[in-house]
Amino acid sequence: MELVCYAKCGTCMKAKKFLMANNLDYEYREIIIKPLSIEELHEIYRKSGLPIKKLLNTSGLVYRELEMKEKVKTYSDEEILKLLSQHPMLVKRPVLRYEEVVLIGFDEKEWVEKLLK
């Protein structure tokens, strides 16, 4: 199980606490130090089953700087994935990867459902 996070992200801290509280082993990956590759982002997108827009950190500075609100209306999925690979802080966090399960963001109810069956 891999947890992709940003160290200063409060939501990522909640996810880490959840995993520790439930005795779930994971490898921590700092997104700034080891960004997700385009191949990994393709896999995350496919396995998550979410619309491409759900992979974007819409509340972040990079989202505003790149004017993503307008770009997502016209960019293809491939163009958005490429931007995500070039700008790690544009990726919504945390990203949990575990076998065929990919969880984007931290929703405790969803994490319980997917990880504690």
Side-chain angles (χ1 to χ4, degrees):
M1 184 177 309
E2 179 182 54
L3 184 66
V4 183
C5 286
Y6 175 57
K8 297 178 182 176
C9 170
T11 307
C12 292
M13 290 179 200
K14 288 178 188 175
K16 285 170 53 177
K17 286 179 184 177
F18 172 88
L19 293 172
M20 289 188 295
N22 289 286
N23 296 315
L24 295 169
D25 292 328
Y26 66 94
E27 290 181 33
Y28 178 84
R29 177 173 173 178
E30 176 62 43
I31 197 163
I32 297 300
I33 296 169
K34 190 176 177 193
L36 294 163
S37 69
I38 189 77
E39 293 81 13
E40 289 173 308
L41 287 162
H42 272 283
E43 178 185 12
I44 287 166
Y45 177 42
R46 181 180 55 80
K47 287 182 177 179
S48 74
L50 296 171
I52 192 77
K53 293 176 186 178
K54 295 290 186 182
L55 274 63
L56 295 166
N57 176 13
T58 58
S59 62
L61 184 61
V62 176
Y63 184 86
R64 290 188 298 276
E65 286 176 350
L66 295 176
E67 300 175 349
M68 289 304 296
K69 188 174 182 178
E70 293 306 313
K71 290 178 180 174
V72 295
K73 296 175 185 175
T74 58
Y75 275 30
S76 68
D77 291 355
E78 187 63 34
E79 288 171 311
I80 292 173
L81 290 169
K82 186 175 180 182
L83 278 173
L84 288 168
S85 71
Q86 294 167 344
H87 302 279
M89 294 301 286
L90 190 56
V91 177
K92 183 174 177 99
R93 304 169 303 272
V95 176
L96 183 80
R97 301 167 64 192
Y98 176 63
E99 297 173 358
E100 292 301 309
V101 174
V102 171
L103 301 172
I104 311 289
F106 180 67
D107 175 339
E108 187 169 357
K109 183 179 175 185
E110 180 184 27
W111 283 45
V112 166
E113 182 181 303
K114 302 280 177 151
L115 300 174
L116 302 179
K117 292 181 179 180

